[in-house]
Amino acid sequence: MQDNAFTPFGPTYRVSGTPVQCLTTNNQNATSYRVRNALAAVSFFSWAPPLANGNAPTISTVTPVVGSAPVSNTVGMVASTVEVFCLPPNAWFASGSGDAFEVTPGEGR
């Protein structure tokens, strides 16, 4: 990963409950994803690496609950915030809060 400002490598994807793969358009693998919570409430998204067979993975976005089992590959974001995450190239995303997130693949922070 480069230690520079975030540079988009592809389009911004709108993420809802159906898994969507965020691909680049410049033949480079993204090492970072800029994620924006588009809702005015805390929202959770989950991610998964691409499957070897090319199919869409099953992503279950479950809001973590204190005292219950941990939830893998799930991140909560405060309302109307933007963060950059380092995740696997060509990752898949799904939202537990409906049409809540915008995800842009790229490089940097």
Side-chain angles (χ1 to χ4, degrees):
M1 182 172 112
Q2 298 177 7
D3 191 21
N4 60 338
F6 183 81
T7 302
F9 283 0
T12 298
Y13 293 83
R14 192 69 175 206
V15 176
S16 63
T18 303
V20 63
Q21 188 175 27
C22 296
L23 300 170
T24 63
T25 56
N26 64 356
N27 295 325
Q28 295 184 25
N29 285 330
T31 59
S32 302
Y33 296 87
R34 180 188 179 274
V35 180
R36 182 175 86 89
N37 179 358
L39 298 182
V42 172
S43 301
F44 290 84
F45 73 88
S46 294
W47 62 271
L51 299 176
N53 63 10
N55 292 337
T58 300
I59 300 177
S60 177
T61 303
V62 178
T63 302
V65 177
V66 175
S68 66
V71 180
S72 299
N73 299 351
T74 297
V75 178
M77 289 184 63
V78 176
S80 304
T81 57
V82 175
E83 297 286 341
V84 176
F85 298 95
C86 295
L87 299 171
N90 303 319
W92 290 77
F93 293 82
S95 168
S97 304
D99 190 18
F101 293 95
E102 295 174 353
V103 178
T104 307
E107 178 83 27
R109 296 179 187 215

